[in-house]
Amino acid sequence: MEFLVALIVIIVFCKILGISNEMLITGGLALIELAIIAMLLLFLYFCLNLLFTKSKKAEFICKGKPEGYKFNVAYYRIDGEEYPCVFPCESGIAYRTNHTYKVRYSKKLNKVFDIWSILTCVIGLIFSIAAVYFSLQIISFAAIL
């Protein structure tokens, strides 16, 4: 709600300053494009981290909220040490306790990538590349008009 009020205040302030509607729309589209590029960089970062991980056998322990997080993550035990998963756990998936899973351990992040995190990274990277490509195509097409 606060975001909507702030957006309205910014738009009204810009209109008072005499900024045209075309410039407001262009600015809004530029902000959306920056968000799409930031999404691409995020997935690229995690995919690059995924390349330098080691495959390990891990036992699922539980789901829980780490400090500073808003979402539950899965915790795995590798060689007696507990490690959280990189991404939030899937709510519709039933994790089985005392079951061994293959995970990818990232020494740099000190976290693990389970199969759902790996799928999130790869699919997110593919879709964010497509989103950047198509949005840049739309912008270049609009610039021609």
Side-chain angles (χ1 to χ4, degrees):
M1 185 66 177
E2 296 87 12
F3 175 75
L4 188 60
V5 171
L7 184 63
I8 291 170
V9 168
I10 291 170
I11 291 172
V12 168
F13 186 66
C14 288
K15 292 308 288 180
I16 290 171
L17 290 175
I19 296 174
S20 69
N21 289 341
E22 293 163 347
M23 287 302 291
L24 285 174
I25 291 170
T26 304
L29 291 175
L31 289 176
I32 291 170
E33 184 64 28
L34 287 174
I36 291 171
I37 291 171
M39 180 178 65
L40 171 69
L41 293 175
L42 174 83
F43 283 116
L44 187 63
Y45 172 77
F46 281 112
C47 283
L48 288 175
N49 273 317
L50 185 59
L51 289 176
F52 299 104
T53 58
K54 292 183 180 178
S55 182
K56 301 268 188 175
K57 294 230 184 236
E59 177 186 358
F60 173 75
I61 302 171
C62 64
K63 294 179 185 179
K65 277 188 191 175
E67 277 187 42
Y69 280 61
K70 294 181 181 180
F71 302 103
N72 285 333
V73 298
Y75 281 91
Y76 292 93
R77 181 176 293 130
I78 302 172
D79 300 329
E81 294 286 325
E82 291 184 13
Y83 299 101
C85 192
V86 173
F87 290 114
C89 61
E90 300 295 325
S91 59
I93 307 292
Y95 292 90
R96 292 185 282 169
T97 54
N98 300 327
H99 185 75
T100 304
Y101 293 94
K102 282 181 94 172
V103 297
R104 307 284 302 178
Y105 172 67
S106 172
K107 193 174 188 178
K108 179 181 178 188
L109 299 175
N110 202 29
K111 295 182 180 184
V112 298
F113 289 87
D114 60 7
I115 186 64
W116 306 112
S117 298
I118 294 169
L119 288 173
T120 300
C121 285
V122 172
I123 292 171
L125 182 65
I126 291 168
F127 278 102
S128 59
I129 288 171
V132 168
Y133 174 76
F134 287 120
S135 61
L136 289 176
Q137 291 296 317
I138 290 169
I139 290 171
S140 66
F141 179 72
I144 293 172
L145 296 177

